[in-house]
Amino acid sequence: MPHIVAEHARRATNTSPIMELRGVKQHYAIARPLPFAPKKIVRALDGVDLRVKPGSTLGIIGESGCGKSTLARILSGLEAPSEGEVLFEGVDINSLRGAEKRHMRQNIQLIFQDPYAALDPRMSIEQILSEPFEIHPGLVPESGRRRKVQELMELVGLNPDHLGRYPHNFSGGQQQRIGIARGIALNPKVLICDEAVSALDVSVRAQVVNLLQDLQQELGLSFVFIAHDLQIVRHISDEVATMYLGRIVEHGTFAQVYDHSEHPYTQALLSAAPELRQGNGTKRELIMLQGDPPSPLDPPPGCRFHTRCPIAQARCAQAEPTLDGVGEGHNARCFFPGPIPVRSA
Amino acid sequence: MSNQTDAQQTPLLQVHDLRVEFSTSQGIATAINGVDLSVSAGQSLGILGESGSGKSVTARTIMGLLDTPPARVVGGQILLEGEDLLSLPSKVRRSLNGPRMAMVFQDALSALNPVHPVGRQIGELFRVHRGYSRAAAKRAAIELMDRVKIPAASSRVNDYPHQFSGGMRQRIVIAMALALDPQLLIADEPTTALDVTVQAQILALLKEQQVERNMGLVLITHDISVVREVTDHVAVMYAGRVVEQGPTAQVLSAPRHPYTRGLAESVASEELKGSRLPAIPGSPPDLLNLPMGCSFANRCWLATEECNGRVPTLTELGESRATACFHHEEVQPYAAHSR
Ligand SMILES: Nc1ncnc2c1ncn2[C@@H]1O[C@H](COP(=O)(O)OP(=O)(O)OP(=O)(O)O)[C@@H](O)[C@H]1O
Ligand SMILES: Nc1ncnc2c1ncn2[C@@H]1O[C@H](COP(=O)(O)OP(=O)(O)OP(=O)(O)O)[C@@H](O)[C@H]1O
Ligand code: SF4
Ligand SMILES: [Mg+2]
Ligand SMILES: [Mg+2]
């Protein structure tokens, strides 16, 4: 399939970004264990630079708690970062007011990780799916909204006769599809999918992924696709970023990150998925990480990964590597990038 | 139990011909339409199935946690060590939840109370069921949070649910379900929000409980590789029925129901990059208006007149396998992608 790879490479190198994060940090204060104990800070994001290219898909992978959902909330404008800039079409979204802000809100949509929590239990599905059109009334005339809402339900494989039902009348995967329908309702330019297909059976998941890709083809949507399902991320993404403890540690095209991983964490993460093979069809050697992920309350000095890294050297505990080029459009935050040598048993 | 052999012969959990309906503004929705399941102590049963096929409703019915109305159990039996739970007074029944059986809910966030610190919610279990002191309960809570790999558990025990990531909340809910060493654990999508590494650790923890403490485990998941790795038996659900069941390895490698076969085929793989993912075309029937025949017939490539005329029942095939398909012999073994 070389033409496909070329197509992805073309999309991946198209430069002017539709969204960009510059030096973004998000720090949360949490409860003190004792009244006079020092204040504790969770460094959920700690210096993230990222570009989302128009019409392409950026996949984000990384372990639980590394900051993916925080990144999603910041990209969508739901939260302002404690530091740094979030640009949409070149403008900082947190500086927008009035009509500009509405335009931004219409064009950046977030599908939440937790489908049920994202749906107002007191609203019927019809109300939930019509709401975006009420907030942005110019898009679909009032008389056409019910039809539009029914179309949306059909697109995600739900029965349009169930418009009058409430979120709790639906199964987990059906709720998730309501969230997807709402996310695509306004034809946004950027759709951020935070575990948006995790509750679906594989057949419905395939239908939804095909739908998202069709929408991208037809409307030039950009996706930020966050998922723990590494195979699906590989399938849908043009570019992929790996996160570790609030930082991006590797970034490149899907083929670079999956088949020529340079950062040891990416290699360990991918190796833990039993069904994931290498580009050439061979099995991955399992790389076991020692120890638990460090706490974002107290990230280790030096390279944040050095406490678990199978190839760490003395230097890794002292200085922090930067996200440097290891190939055309391929970056890794590691002093010793490259394939981890396979230990002969 | 009167004697050893008796305890071994009676499965821990048996569900017979369970039927559950919901009354909706448009009529009666038949969500569970004759489900049979069985799990023995120390065994694990995977439940795979289409989204909306009734997996969570089955689990909630077993736990006695359905809202009735709008739901109504219209038939069947649920036996826990031979005792019919459906005939127990609801108060007695609820007292079983925790020590005898526990459930990990699909939406972890709503299983936690947003206004209380998580440590207190875990500790509460030990205070209510085991009479622990406040301090002992807190220690037990930290220990459990450690066990499910929450980093820096002791400094986060006073945090509120929204301060944890999705995967952390899911692990906290798992910790709570395991807290009182239940005999039966029903885990509804327990690892969807977890990365592969933590997922492997959590599955290992569940497996350890299952084997070492002889717990019965029902694992509801869409992840076929999890089912393959963790469970002994699997039941596949479609539109409120079990359409296929049997030993996991056999069912997954040689499905005898077209739906199972279609599922196995829809899994993404390296080779499919750049093309559309194969999916079973069409959608499941409306539960308000189930067809006369097989519920899968409108999507099935093997369907004949017979399939549209009457419902295929779950039929034994030998080797503890069963399928609900008239044409099960024509289902091709699954050999794609060299897996
Ligand atoms: N409102 C908050 N207050 C305090 N800490 C928070 C808050 N929101 C997130 N965090 C913390 O920030 C870190 C990153 O959380 P985030 O939800 O972004 O992770 P994630 O990568 O999405 O994980 P998962 O894969 O489990 O969903 C976690 O340690 C989490 O506990
Ligand atoms: N309160 C209700 N009123 C009407 N229908 C309901 C209600 N609750 C659930 N249902 C329906 O019952 C069916 C079974 O739901 P259930 O939650 O058990 O599905 P599931 O198999 O767990 O699906 P998923 O994999 O998406 O979680 C669904 O089609 C759902 O729409
Ligand atoms: S910098 Fe060092 S510790 Fe960090 S990932 Fe690279 S080798 Fe491992
Ligand atoms: Mg998240
Ligand atoms: Mg469910």
Side-chain angles (χ1 to χ4, degrees):
Chain A
M1 287 171 260
H3 64 285
I4 291 155
V5 174
E7 166 68 12
H8 280 280
R10 189 189 59 70
R11 279 198 248 165
T13 48
N14 180 356
T15 38
S16 135
I18 183 153
M19 285 203 80
E20 186 172 357
L21 295 184
R22 288 195 187 151
V24 165
K25 297 190 178 177
Q26 185 68 321
H27 293 178
Y28 299 107
I30 61 168
R32 305 166 198 224
L34 296 165
F36 298 105
K39 201 163 159 187
K40 296 226 166 189
I41 304 286
V42 178
R43 297 164 193 277
L45 292 181
D46 216 13
V48 169
D49 297 287
L50 205 59
R51 290 153 154 251
V52 183
K53 288 170 191 152
S56 93
T57 301
L58 171 66
I60 311 246
I61 57 178
E63 70 198 326
S64 170
C66 71
K68 302 180 298 298
S69 296
T70 306
L71 182 83
R73 289 192 299 268
I74 298 247
L75 275 169
S76 68
L78 212 64
E79 280 179 14
S82 17
E83 235 178 81
E85 288 179 310
V86 186
L87 308 182
F88 171 65
E89 296 178 330
V91 185
D92 190 338
I93 60 172
N94 294 298
S95 69
L96 299 176
R97 297 284 172 270
E100 286 177 335
K101 187 165 177 176
R102 264 208 313 283
H103 170 79
M104 177 277 286
R105 286 231 180 276
Q106 176 195 331
N107 279 302
I108 309 176
Q109 292 289 326
L110 169 62
I111 301 172
F112 289 88
Q113 177 165 10
D114 196 323
Y116 186 70
L119 303 174
D120 185 336
R122 290 156 307 182
M123 285 166 74
S124 73
I125 300 317
E126 173 152 32
Q127 287 168 322
I128 289 174
L129 293 180
S130 314
E131 195 183 43
F133 302 114
E134 280 152 25
I135 300 173
H136 302 279
L139 294 170
V140 178
E142 226 178 305
S143 59
R145 287 191 195 149
R146 165 162 279 210
R147 183 69 218 117
K148 176 76 189 170
V149 166
Q150 286 170 334
E151 264 170 44
L152 284 168
M153 292 206 44
E154 270 164 25
L155 271 179
V156 297
L158 293 175
N159 186 338
D161 297 342
H162 296 169
L163 273 181
R165 293 197 185 176
Y166 289 81
H168 70 269
N169 301 145
F170 290 88
S171 77
Q174 291 166 340
Q175 287 166 2
Q176 192 162 54
R177 283 178 273 166
I178 296 165
I180 294 168
R182 188 173 58 180
I184 61 178
L186 296 175
N187 292 340
K189 291 186 179 162
V190 180
L191 184 63
I192 303 156
C193 306
D194 190 0
E195 293 289 353
V197 296
S198 59
L200 306 177
D201 67 72
V202 285
S203 177
V204 173
R205 184 179 306 177
Q207 286 171 339
V208 169
V209 166
N210 291 341
L211 167 71
L212 291 176
Q213 294 200 304
D214 290 347
L215 291 173
Q216 183 164 60
Q217 286 271 312
E218 285 162 31
L219 307 168
L221 281 190
S222 308
F223 296 130
V224 176
F225 197 88
I226 300 170
H228 286 301
D229 182 336
L230 298 171
Q231 190 67 264
I232 283 287
V233 173
R234 183 183 182 281
H235 182 84
I236 202 170
S237 302
D238 300 299
E239 287 181 53
V240 176
T242 316
M243 287 182 72
Y244 188 77
L245 219 57
R247 296 251 166 105
I248 307 265
V249 297
E250 181 160 3
H251 180 201
T253 63
F254 87 89
Q256 287 168 335
V257 173
Y258 274 72
D259 298 335
H260 305 281
S261 324
E262 293 281 343
H263 197 284
Y265 175 66
T266 309
Q267 295 173 52
L269 181 69
L270 297 176
S271 81
E275 73 286 357
L276 204 64
R277 279 157 199 275
Q278 245 145 8
N280 58 12
T282 57
K283 261 187 108 127
R284 289 168 194 269
E285 194 80 18
L286 180 66
I287 301 163
M288 284 295 274
L289 293 181
Q290 316 102 334
D292 293 331
S295 159
L297 286 172
D298 190 16
C303 171
R304 293 189 170 195
F305 186 52
H306 87 263
T307 53
R308 298 162 82 198
C309 181
I311 57 162
Q313 307 284 316
R315 179 179 172 199
C316 306
Q318 283 144 20
E320 168 143 39
T322 48
L323 193 60
D324 288 333
V326 288
E328 174 88 48
H330 188 185
N331 298 293
R333 192 186 281 282
C334 174
F335 292 125
F336 307 102
I340 298 179
V342 181
R343 256 173 265 160
S344 41
Chain B
M1 276 293 139
S2 49
N3 67 51
Q4 199 60 43
T5 40
D6 235 84
Q8 276 171 0
Q9 278 164 5
T10 315
L12 177 62
L13 173 77
Q14 275 176 289
V15 176
H16 284 311
D17 198 29
L18 187 67
R19 288 163 195 274
V20 179
E21 295 176 348
F22 286 96
S23 63
T24 76
S25 54
Q26 294 147 300
I28 300 288
T30 313
I32 308 295
N33 199 1
V35 160
D36 293 275
L37 295 171
S38 156
V39 193
S40 300
Q43 262 208 341
S44 57
L45 172 74
I47 303 185
L48 274 173
E50 170 242 351
S51 170
S53 61
K55 303 179 297 295
S56 301
V57 170
T58 302
R60 281 177 182 269
T61 313
I62 295 169
M63 295 297 294
L65 297 173
L66 268 187
D67 287 328
T68 46
R72 206 159 71 91
V73 180
V74 290
Q77 282 184 313
I78 300 171
L79 308 176
L80 185 67
E81 290 186 305
E83 180 178 29
D84 189 359
L85 299 182
L86 290 174
S87 61
L88 290 180
S90 62
K91 202 167 158 210
V92 179
R93 201 165 162 203
R94 294 220 172 182
S95 73
L96 305 177
N97 292 358
R100 300 258 325 261
M101 49 190 209
M103 176 164 170
V104 176
F105 290 92
Q106 187 168 10
D107 46 346
L109 183 56
S110 57
L112 293 167
N113 186 331
V115 303
H116 294 304
V118 294
R120 201 163 115 201
Q121 298 184 50
I122 305 175
E124 199 63 20
L125 287 170
F126 292 103
R127 287 170 60 79
V128 170
H129 291 275
R130 300 248 168 106
Y132 280 26
S133 71
R134 210 173 268 280
K138 184 168 173 178
R139 273 198 305 278
I142 294 174
E143 207 179 290
L144 267 178
M145 285 168 72
D146 258 339
R147 199 156 149 213
V148 291
K149 315 280 181 204
I150 304 290
S154 55
S155 32
R156 305 212 63 177
V157 65
N158 293 324
D159 286 359
Y160 292 85
H162 75 270
Q163 295 177 309
F164 291 90
S165 79
M168 291 168 165
R169 288 195 291 257
Q170 208 166 24
R171 282 176 273 163
I172 289 163
V173 171
I174 292 170
M176 291 173 71
L178 291 176
L180 302 172
D181 288 330
Q183 285 175 292
L184 174 72
L185 179 73
I186 304 178
D188 194 355
E189 298 281 359
T191 59
T192 36
L194 303 179
D195 57 90
V196 277
T197 327
V198 180
Q199 171 173 311
Q201 287 166 346
I202 294 293
L203 292 174
L205 178 71
L206 292 178
K207 197 83 197 156
E208 178 191 305
Q209 290 270 332
Q210 179 215 322
V211 175
E212 285 172 17
R213 312 208 178 175
N214 212 26
M215 180 178 82
L217 174 65
V218 177
L219 187 68
I220 302 173
T221 178
H222 291 304
D223 191 329
I224 296 179
S225 54
V226 166
V227 169
R228 186 180 290 128
E229 266 160 63
V230 177
T231 65
D232 309 310
H233 285 84
V234 64
V236 181
M237 288 188 66
Y238 188 82
R241 291 201 181 93
V242 173
V243 293
E244 175 159 18
Q245 66 180 31
T248 304
Q250 277 97 304
V251 171
L252 293 181
S253 62
R256 300 297 291 278
H257 192 284
Y259 175 68
T260 317
R261 169 68 210 267
L263 261 193
E265 212 163 345
S266 303
V267 178
S269 69
E270 283 78 9
E271 297 82 352
L272 293 168
K273 173 90 190 180
S275 46
R276 295 174 72 78
L277 292 173
I280 307 168
S283 49
D286 187 355
L287 300 179
L288 291 170
N289 192 8
L290 286 173
M292 246 172 64
C294 173
S295 294
F296 191 60
N298 65 329
R299 306 170 73 183
C300 185
W301 55 97
L302 296 175
T304 57
E305 205 122 310
E306 182 179 24
C307 308
N308 289 313
R310 61 190 179 97
V311 175
T313 52
L314 196 62
T315 313
E316 301 286 334
L317 298 171
E319 297 175 330
S320 51
R321 293 192 62 172
T323 180
C325 172
F326 295 123
H327 302 296
H328 63 84
E329 279 166 3
E330 293 159 54
V331 179
Q332 297 295 314
Y334 179 66
H337 315 314
S338 65
R339 243 181 286 166

